[in-house]
Amino acid sequence: MSVDVSALLGSVPDGLLIGGEWQPGSGGKPVEVRDPATGTLVKTVAGASVADGLAALAAADTAFPAWAATPARARAELLRRTFDLLRERAEEFALLITTEMGKPLAEARAEVAYGAEFLRWFSESAAHLQGRYGPSPEGTGRVIVTQHPVGPCYLVTPWNFPLAMATRKIAPALAAGCTVVIKPAALTPLTTSLFVTLLEDAGMPAGVVNVVNTADPGPMSEALIGDPRLRKLSFTGSTPVGKLLLARAAQGVLRTSMELGGNAPFLVFEDADLDRAVDGAMVAKFRNIGQACTAANRFLVHTSVADEFTRRLTERARGLRMGNGTEPGVAIGPLIDQRAVAKTHALVRDALDRGATLHTGGTAPDGPGTFYPATVLGDVPAGAALLREEIFGPVVAITPFSDEDEAVALANDTEYGLVSYVFTESLARGQRMVERLHTGMTGLNVGAVSNAAAPFGGWKQSGLGREGGDEGIHEYLQTKYTLTPSPFV
Ligand code: NAD
């Protein structure tokens, strides 16, 4: 199905959604959205002032009691209807994601499918929430445990998965009975706004979801997080910003979920199936043009297979077509902005200056667009900045290791702990790695782990809490325990 881009952009609201009405807001700076493949202006949307943010919170607070009291089945059905609508309009959403974020259309379609799954998954969870009733051990009391929605939530999302990061928060929040204010990244606000119109079409009551865009997120976030009506902050983004918001949230002992940065190790052992490892590396590195928190950041490869792995991966990387994500066959779209290109290139230069070997890539083409080619670096020495920092670009950094203990030590030598990837044909080694690697998730002979049915999240400075799986809805619930005497004493 071909989509008319201007009709599509025309259908995206250009206001803020506060209390069920799309409106221009009260004078916040407008947010300009550009296509990173061309640099052209795609659309300008209203920017929220601090007062608009607080009005959105007031609307979420007003809507909360009725939404919390809405039967779980009805909340589930709203999510399920939205899932159906999203699938019907998948092609429009894919094109909108590519237009504002740059990823190749095939990957944007995969994001729509992934993002939609959170609606289906949490529509199923909503009706399955249960409490407990049972005797206290001494027999004199009865213990009742119940779950309650935490209340109005503030959801802050990044630009790299404009749809899936929104549905991964909105769906469990609504399933649990919470109302929300969502603040998408200023670089990619359009997908979230269009998505929220689907919730409206599916019958969402006014005030249950409110949308506030701003290019100056600090003051508004400060005001919302400091407001006692807010009961929960769920943030996905970089670790430095996450720490700032956590510190602010601590003042009010606010419930938080934090999905932060990563520095994923990708381990290839001497007993790996190299075809499988190279296939996994292509996904773990080049999906989303390397701009994923789960992107493989450090390739640790056993010395006996390092040359062969590097040769095969380099050949595949050279074959990746770079260009506008809307063009057929493109695998490397633009990076999100010029700053990302400059940062990626600085990391590559630093590694080369320290003695790494360049196998392919390494030079950004002249504009327009913010492109950086698939790049493979071998023999990256300890001390190179890209071993410590998230690269967030299509750059493979390979470091050889000589035994399992060294591989584990290198893999765990980071403050991050989101995901690791392990390639081995040995079951025992695979099991050892699962237990020895300090990450919240491990891809064992696979290069992508995301799944709505699984608890996504990190250890160490990669975050707090989980999204998806049976755990995801509990981030939006609080537990109450009631004691009552036994009816027999
Ligand atoms: P970012 O931290 O710059 O921004 C994330 C969000 O926070 C955006 O909405 C932004 O507007 C907002 N923000 C920025 N500064 C703020 C401030 N001072 N106060 C309040 N809000 C503020 O991150 P990004 O560049 O949008 O996204 C990339 C980062 O997100 C990477 O570090 C990546 O690893 C991480 N990420 C993590 C996950 C995960 O699930 N763990 C998923 C996707 C992305």
Side-chain angles (χ1 to χ4, degrees), residues 272-308:
D273 173 337
L274 276 198
D275 288 335
R276 206 196 266 266
V278 172
D279 285 348
M282 293 299 291
V283 176
K285 183 72 253 183
F286 296 116
R287 188 174 69 108
N288 229 37
I289 321 132
Q291 303 167 114
C293 53
T294 50
N297 213 57
R298 296 169 294 148
F299 287 78
L300 306 172
V301 185
H302 190 267
T303 44
S304 65
V305 292
D307 285 349
E308 181 61 12

Side-chain angles (χ1 to χ4, degrees), residues 28 47 56 76 91 99 102 106 117 134 164 178 195 219 223 250 294 346 385 391 416 425 443:
E91 207 50 30
T99 303
E117 282 307 325
C178 294
F195 168 69
T294 50
I391 303 170
Y416 294 104
E425 292 295 292

Side-chain angles (χ1 to χ4, degrees), residues 5-332:
V5 183
S6 50
L8 170 62
L9 291 172
S11 69
V12 178
D14 56 10
L16 313 169
L17 179 62
I18 300 176
E21 278 191 41
W22 292 95
Q23 50 189 271
S26 64
K29 191 167 167 277
V31 177
E32 289 187 347
V33 185
R34 290 184 183 276
D35 179 343
T38 59
T40 52
L41 182 67
V42 171
K43 192 172 172 97
T44 302
V45 297
S49 64
V50 171
D52 295 326
L54 289 170
L57 177 57
D61 189 44
T62 304
F64 174 64
W67 184 244
T70 299
R73 183 71 75 200
R75 299 198 304 262
E77 279 163 4
L78 172 84
L79 293 175
R80 178 66 207 211
R81 278 195 296 277
T82 310
F83 168 74
D84 292 338
L85 290 173
L86 181 52
R87 291 229 297 202
E88 277 164 28
R89 295 180 56 185
E91 207 50 30
E92 287 172 62
F93 276 87
L95 184 60
L96 189 58
I97 291 171
T98 295
T99 303
E100 66 174 343
M101 185 272 165
K103 72 180 68 180
L105 207 45
E107 292 190 23
R109 291 188 183 113
E111 181 181 344
V112 176
Y114 172 54
E117 282 307 325
F118 290 101
L119 299 162
R120 176 155 63 177
W121 177 258
F122 287 110
S123 77
E124 289 160 357
S125 315
H128 292 178
L129 287 174
Q130 286 177 344
R132 285 203 313 266
Y133 175 89
S136 62
E138 62 283 3
T140 54
R142 291 293 179 266
V143 172
I144 305 165
V145 180
T146 46
Q147 303 289 335
H148 306 264
V150 293
C153 303
Y154 182 40
L155 313 179
V156 180
T157 53
W159 51 264
N160 60 347
F161 290 91
L163 178 70
M165 296 302 97
T167 56
R168 201 163 80 168
K169 296 186 189 306
I170 291 174
L174 267 50
C178 294
T179 55
V180 310
V181 176
I182 184 161
K183 194 210 76 57
L187 291 163
T188 58
L190 306 182
T191 305
T192 302
S193 287
L194 187 62
F195 168 69
V196 172
T197 67
L198 300 190
L199 285 163
E200 294 182 306
D201 292 348
M204 176 182 74
V208 169
V209 174
N210 303 274
V211 182
V212 285
N213 292 307
T214 170
D216 183 18
M220 194 177 72
S221 300
E222 172 93 9
L224 262 66
I225 295 170
D227 191 304
R229 289 171 297 185
L230 188 77
R231 307 316 297 270
K232 161 96 193 178
L233 164 67
S234 179
F235 172 81
T236 298
S238 62
T239 296
V241 174
K243 286 181 185 177
L244 263 176
L245 300 185
L246 264 178
R248 183 74 182 95
Q251 304 304 309
V253 195
L254 186 67
R255 282 274 299 268
T256 57
S257 299
M258 293 276 152
E259 295 288 351
L260 307 178
N263 180 358
F266 186 105
L267 282 71
V268 183
F269 285 97
E270 62 275 29
D271 54 14
D273 173 337
L274 276 198
D275 288 335
R276 206 196 266 266
V278 172
D279 285 348
M282 293 299 291
V283 176
K285 183 72 253 183
F286 296 116
R287 188 174 69 108
N288 229 37
I289 321 132
Q291 303 167 114
C293 53
T294 50
N297 213 57
R298 296 169 294 148
F299 287 78
L300 306 172
V301 185
H302 190 267
T303 44
S304 65
V305 292
D307 285 349
E308 181 61 12
F309 177 81
T310 305
R311 191 187 63 73
R312 291 199 209 177
L313 190 56
T314 301
E315 203 176 297
R316 294 276 296 273
R318 283 195 183 120
L320 294 175
R321 200 168 140 220
M322 185 164 71
N324 191 321
T326 54
E327 288 168 19
V330 162
I332 302 288

Side-chain angles (χ1 to χ4, degrees), residues 34 102 104 175 191 214 221 264 287 289 307 310 360-361 373 375 404 408 419 431-432 438 475:
R34 290 184 183 276
T191 305
T214 170
S221 300
R287 188 174 69 108
I289 321 132
D307 285 349
T310 305
T360 188
T375 297
E404 190 176 302
V408 170
V419 62
Q431 287 178 321
R432 277 199 303 281
H438 300 163
E475 299 284 320

